[in-house]
Amino acid sequence: MLDTLLTDLRKIDKRHRDALKRLGLFTVRDFIFYFPVDYEDFSTIIPINMVKPGEVNTVQGIISEIYNEQTQRQRMMLTKATLEDKTGSLESVWFRQPYLEKFLKTGSYVTLSGKVEYNRGRDLQMTSPVYEKYRPEALHTGRIAPVYSLTAGITSKWLRFVLKPYLKHVTELEEFLPQACLKRHRLLARNEALKQIHFPDSQQSLAQAKYRLGFEEMFLLQAMKLQKRSVFKQARSYSLKFDKKLAQKFVKKLPFTLTDDQKKASWQVFQNLEQNKPMNRLLEGDVGSGKTVVTALILNQVLKQGYQGVFLAPTEILATQHYQSFLKFFADNNFNIALFTRTQRFVDKKEISTNKLLKKIKDGEIDLIIGTHTLLSEKVKTKKLALAIIDEQHRFGVKQRATLKTINTGNKIPHFLSMTATPIPRTLALSIFGDLDLSVIKEMPKNRKPIKTSLVAPFDREETYDFIRQRINKGDQVFVVCPLIEESDTLGVKSVKEEYKKLNQQVFPEIKIGLLHGKLKKEQKEKAMQNFLAKKTKILVSTSVIEVGVDIPNATIMMIEGSERFGLSQLHQFRGRVGRGQKQSYCYLFTDSLGEKSYNRLKTMENCLDGFQLAQHDLEIRGPGEVYGIRQSGLPDLKMASLTDAELVAVAREEALELVTKDPDFREHPQLKNELLRFEKTVHFE
Ligand code: ADP
Ligand code: MG
């Protein structure tokens, strides 16, 4: 019965079927797992003489009168009714539902739930109450009633009515959590929880149902991740010796001293590399905290011992910049370094054909390959890749990581070092990756001055422009970031062009301005960057597409248009493009909408310079899916469990770990195995 198609159910007509499809509901099972998003608590029926103005009350009685009436001024149809019980009578009113007069006839016995108010300050009345003809088992009123997320053509009321009879089929679902686990955590049985989640008997049983269903989701997620991880753990990688002298020599040559956090992170990586198990480590560090030099220090070890390294960046511009940085870092070595992007194939600054490059990589002649996603789609094969570094890892998908595991010819897989400036709390990292090691760079290089950030209201624009003009005249440079305005305008070309025109013609007509967006040709993009770097242009207007990493120390001002359209973490990333040199830097958040919510949200940017705190803020306001992008980062879209609920993650993980350790292939847990297969499909793990 569970797999019966809704289209085969006679009760459901064509119009409703289409609407159900839009909600993604195809089978009875889908129906059962379509959880309410909210509840209305109408569980206490009270005598009419006890109703209180201002409250939502539920009353039961006989309709003693019902009629339609048209309002004088607006010509709206009102339906008015009087309900009576032993203790008194109460008026009700509905708007634009004249059919109610026929439906709730005089003399019928009904339950009404709704807000009680004074009608023009005189008599008590119930406004637009939810109604139900009395039935022994009330569906909508006189209980805690479910509220569903809906689409046109379907009401919660209809869903409650249609769903209820099919709920009994929950008994066909098997329990997959071990009995001991159910006991330990006092969990409701699965089918009971599913019943209660739709039609709870009480607030308490609703809470229990939510907990059980959240637990099961988190358990499945952890079991899946841990099982994959145990497969990954069996894989072998190269074991590298740590060469202390080499590291010291490298560090000595740097124009600055490493921060303690940079040293610690490098040390943690070195320890992993000595094992023959593949490393799986995430390096978190705020924008500008100096992650690149850490990777250079590590790569130096890897390449010196004759192994290959790959460095992946999310954009062409960033890959190019890293390529140049590494050429500098390794100027004294004779490493062969390649750049491999959609439009560029270089080895040691010389252009090379794709085929030649592929061959050189396969033969092990290239030591370090720096590139973008293209590198993965071009079927690159390496000879002895020992380390894969992924910059801004949340911009890469799960599939791309998987591809890297098979990139080596032979059976060894590389060590993985992912990097991010968008901090992921430990709990969330465990939810997403099941298991991985974390290194965190908290401390900023010492020479930094905090960036002064201001939220600029529309009426303060001119003043801010004046200030920026002064700074430019003193030799500073300015980034301007514009948001995507329309969905269809995926590259933000339209808004960026308009902004460019405005600044060029109206605001700063005397100043040279550059333009950068995703639709430009490679040469045009490079030219725009180079002109800016060479100070030929003083202002660079760009889309948010090139948000990350770019290093231009002379740029000290960041202007962000439509800042209310961005998350705090993202704004922080933009801001991180300035403040890289010795000079005082500024960040201006322009906004044309100053609703209270977005005002307060943006205001936090002024005082908070800590990317971790801002990410936490984002998480609370917008949830992990919004912050990290569900599809992109492989974040599962769970229905019940919160990915950031530390306690839930911990207990579910512990249970899953015990089970996976004892029974890694789920041979003794066939129900769980089935459930996992289904789960993997529904959580959209790519
Ligand atoms: P991110 O962590 O955002 O990738 P980068 O690696 O691009 O940051 O580093 C930002 C800038 O800081 C670079 O110009 C780099 O040379 C410089 N830098 C890195 N580490 C230090 C340090 N310990 N002291 C001073 N400057 C540093
Ligand atoms: Mg970086």
Side-chain angles (χ1 to χ4, degrees):
M1 185 66 203
L2 288 173
D3 294 314
T4 307
L5 291 176
L6 297 175
T7 40
D8 293 344
L9 301 178
R10 241 184 270 139
K11 263 190 187 167
I12 302 176
D13 60 32
K14 170 91 175 63
R15 187 170 64 87
H16 283 114
R17 276 178 208 159
D18 291 342
L20 287 169
K21 263 186 218 151
R22 283 200 297 278
L23 292 176
L25 303 179
F26 299 97
T27 64
V28 171
R29 180 195 301 276
D30 293 341
F31 230 172
I32 289 174
F33 284 91
Y34 195 64
F35 299 154
V37 287
D38 200 0
Y39 299 85
E40 292 167 332
D41 191 349
F42 298 133
S43 54
T44 12
I45 294 168
I46 58 170
I48 285 178
N49 67 355
M50 299 288 281
V51 299
K52 286 215 180 73
E55 280 184 10
V56 175
N57 287 146
T58 303
V59 291
Q60 214 166 54
I62 288 178
I63 301 265
S64 60
E65 189 180 26
I66 185 160
Y67 60 92
N68 288 333
E69 185 185 87
Q70 198 155 35
T71 56
Q72 291 296 324
R73 261 178 290 160
Q74 290 159 346
R75 306 191 141 236
M76 193 191 342
M77 194 62 98
L78 300 182
T79 306
K80 292 189 168 174
T82 310
L83 186 79
E84 281 181 19
D85 72 2
K86 281 182 290 193
T87 67
S89 68
L90 181 68
E91 306 293 321
S92 310
V93 64
W94 290 271
F95 307 95
R96 294 197 181 94
Q97 301 182 61
Y99 55 89
L100 283 179
E101 185 194 16
K102 298 248 157 50
F103 184 70
L104 303 172
K105 289 188 261 290
T106 307
S108 54
Y109 196 49
V110 300
T111 314
L112 301 179
S113 287
K115 188 159 185 188
V116 180
E117 291 167 326
Y118 280 108
N119 175 19
R120 292 196 202 113
R122 278 174 292 158
D123 307 318
L124 279 181
Q125 84 173 19
M126 216 175 229
T127 317
S128 304
V130 183
Y131 52 88
E132 185 173 25
K133 289 200 183 171
Y134 179 76
R135 246 185 248 111
E137 197 186 356
L139 283 174
H140 311 297
T141 53
R143 62 168 309 126
I144 305 175
V147 176
Y148 298 92
S149 160
L150 301 166
T151 174
I154 287 196
T155 61
S156 275
K157 204 161 175 175
W158 185 85
L159 261 183
R160 285 171 203 161
F161 177 71
V162 181
L163 177 61
K164 189 78 194 274
Y166 295 101
L167 261 185
K168 62 172 182 282
H169 297 290
V170 294
T171 47
E172 294 165 35
L173 286 163
E174 288 176 286
E175 181 62 72
F176 63 84
L177 287 174
Q179 282 303 321
C181 168
L182 292 177
K183 246 193 175 153
R184 243 191 315 269
H185 302 283
R186 299 208 199 112
L187 299 174
L188 280 190
R190 192 168 200 220
N191 45 35
E192 185 56 27
L194 287 167
K195 265 190 224 158
Q196 293 295 331
I197 202 74
H198 290 286
F199 293 99
D201 289 336
S202 65
Q203 288 294 346
Q204 194 195 356
S205 57
L206 174 59
Q208 286 172 336
K210 280 184 178 169
Y211 186 71
R212 147 78 212 211
L213 295 170
F215 188 100
E216 89 172 42
E217 251 184 341
M218 187 54 74
F219 179 89
L220 288 169
L221 179 64
Q222 295 295 336
M224 181 172 92
K225 288 290 179 184
L226 287 166
Q227 197 213 15
K228 294 222 163 109
R229 177 74 176 149
S230 75
V231 175
F232 184 70
K233 267 197 173 138
Q234 282 158 20
R236 288 288 161 257
S237 192
Y238 304 95
S239 138
L240 282 76
K241 281 270 156 310
F242 173 56
D243 183 344
K244 196 170 162 197
K245 284 229 170 76
L246 183 67
Q248 283 169 338
K249 213 172 117 198
F250 185 87
V251 170
K252 240 189 208 149
K253 283 220 159 134
L254 293 172
F256 45 75
T257 44
L258 292 177
T259 62
D260 286 346
D261 282 348
Q262 284 173 319
K263 285 184 208 158
K264 191 168 152 206
S266 323
W267 177 240
Q268 288 169 329
V269 172
F270 289 140
Q271 281 180 317
N272 286 143
L273 296 186
E274 294 204 325
Q275 315 291 314
N276 61 1
K277 289 186 307 209
M279 167 175 75
N280 189 21
R281 184 171 285 279
L282 178 66
L283 174 57
E284 294 185 10
D286 213 340
V287 216
S289 63
K291 295 184 289 295
T292 320
V293 66
V294 171
T295 63
L297 178 60
I298 298 160
L299 278 168
N300 192 36
Q301 298 268 331
V302 174
L303 309 187
K304 259 278 159 40
Q305 292 180 46
Y307 296 103
Q308 290 172 293
V310 158
F311 192 111
L312 276 181
T315 63
E316 184 115 14
I317 290 178
L318 215 62
T320 313
Q321 191 172 32
H322 281 310
Y323 178 60
Q324 273 145 10
S325 304
F326 282 112
L327 284 176
K328 260 189 232 146
F329 278 129
F330 299 137
D332 296 348
N333 294 286
N334 48 1
F335 299 146
N336 289 316
I337 306 179
L339 176 64
F340 198 138
T341 67
R342 193 168 56 80
T343 58
Q344 306 177 80
R345 311 288 138 93
F346 279 94
V347 174
D348 297 331
K349 295 189 199 163
K350 283 190 268 316
E351 215 158 358
I352 183 172
S353 77
T354 305
N355 282 339
K356 271 197 186 141
L357 182 54
L358 283 173
K359 183 164 185 315
K360 274 179 183 286
I361 294 172
K362 196 171 176 183
D363 292 342
E365 282 173 40
I366 304 292
D367 301 298
L368 176 59
I369 309 135
I370 295 158
T372 54
H373 303 79
T374 305
L375 211 155
L376 302 173
S377 52
E378 285 276 1
K379 307 214 163 46
V380 171
K381 281 282 171 195
T382 51
K383 190 174 179 199
K384 44 191 173 166
L385 180 67
L387 178 61
I389 297 169
I390 306 165
D391 197 11
E392 310 294 340
Q393 63 88 30
H394 58 285
R395 304 271 299 256
F396 291 89
V398 179
K399 259 197 202 129
Q400 287 152 337
R401 291 178 60 84
T403 311
L404 275 172
K405 283 183 195 166
T406 60
I407 190 171
N408 257 335
T409 40
N411 53 9
K412 296 239 167 105
I413 72 171
H415 294 285
F416 281 90
L417 180 65
S418 311
M419 300 199 287
T420 181
T422 312
I424 302 176
R426 169 107 194 125
T427 303
L428 187 58
L430 282 177
S431 308
I432 305 171
F433 303 104
D435 199 2
L436 99 170
D437 298 317
L438 268 187
S439 296
V440 182
I441 304 183
K442 278 230 170 94
E443 185 188 358
M444 281 293 195
K446 291 205 177 53
N447 54 359
R448 301 287 156 78
K449 286 208 179 82
I451 300 164
K452 287 191 183 156
T453 305
S454 319
L455 181 56
V456 184
F459 40 85
D460 287 334
R461 256 175 199 274
E462 290 309 319
E463 204 182 315
T464 310
Y465 285 145
D466 286 343
F467 177 77
I468 292 172
R469 195 173 291 114
Q470 284 172 25
R471 302 294 322 178
I472 294 173
N473 289 335
K474 289 200 175 121
D476 288 9
Q477 286 174 285
V478 182
F479 280 113
V480 180
V481 172
C482 306
L484 306 182
I485 290 184
E486 302 152 24
E487 285 288 313
S488 58
D489 183 25
T490 45
L491 293 169
V493 177
K494 182 166 172 279
S495 78
V496 85
K497 277 187 180 157
E498 273 166 20
E499 179 68 16
Y500 174 75
K501 210 165 126 194
K502 184 183 103 186
L503 293 178
N504 218 356
Q505 295 177 353
Q506 295 164 26
V507 188
F508 302 118
E510 74 286 8
I511 294 169
K512 281 221 153 219
I513 304 180
L515 176 67
L516 189 58
H517 59 73
K519 279 241 174 87
L520 293 179
K521 289 209 185 78
K522 173 200 139 201
E523 299 85 48
Q524 293 171 305
K525 276 193 218 166
E526 244 171 33
K527 189 113 214 226
M529 274 319 272
Q530 268 158 12
N531 283 343
F532 192 57
L533 203 57
K535 302 177 194 171
K536 281 187 194 153
T537 49
K538 305 289 174 167
I539 300 176
L540 184 63
V541 183
S542 81
T543 54
S544 54
V545 180
I546 57 153
E547 79 207 55
V548 282
V550 190
D551 200 13
I552 297 181
N554 192 54
T556 58
I557 295 175
M558 168 60 65
M559 284 170 51
I560 303 167
E561 277 297 335
S563 56
E564 74 281 357
R565 289 167 191 264
F566 297 107
L568 298 182
S569 295
Q570 215 182 349
L571 292 172
H572 183 68
Q573 300 255 338
F574 298 144
R575 178 165 67 183
R577 279 210 243 158
V578 298
R580 289 179 172 233
Q582 310 279 353
K583 289 195 220 169
Q584 177 62 54
S585 288
Y586 303 86
C587 174
Y588 294 106
L589 306 172
F590 288 91
T591 175
D592 292 321
S593 106
L594 278 180
E596 194 183 351
K597 251 195 193 154
S598 64
Y599 178 82
N600 287 335
R601 195 169 69 89
L602 292 171
K603 208 70 183 160
T604 34
M605 291 293 297
E606 288 191 350
N607 303 317
C608 183
L609 291 169
D610 180 342
F612 280 71
Q613 265 179 35
L614 291 171
Q616 196 62 41
H617 231 84
D618 263 352
L619 272 178
E620 280 156 23
I621 302 173
R622 304 192 306 156
E626 281 285 310
V627 179
Y628 299 107
I630 287 173
R631 286 304 171 95
Q632 266 183 354
S633 59
L635 263 189
D637 50 347
L638 300 182
K639 291 195 231 167
M640 274 290 157
S642 156
L643 288 165
T644 46
D645 180 343
E647 200 177 318
L648 178 66
V649 173
V651 290
R653 189 180 152 72
E654 195 181 320
E655 290 290 341
L657 187 62
E658 188 183 320
L659 195 144
V660 172
T661 314
K662 280 193 200 140
D663 184 17
D665 303 319
F666 306 120
R667 254 181 230 148
E668 281 160 42
H669 297 88
Q671 297 95 335
L672 173 59
K673 195 171 175 172
N674 281 337
E675 202 58 41
L676 270 173
L677 287 175
R678 193 168 294 121
F679 180 74
E680 251 180 278
K681 273 186 225 143
T682 56
V683 292
H684 303 131
F685 255 118
E686 294 175 81

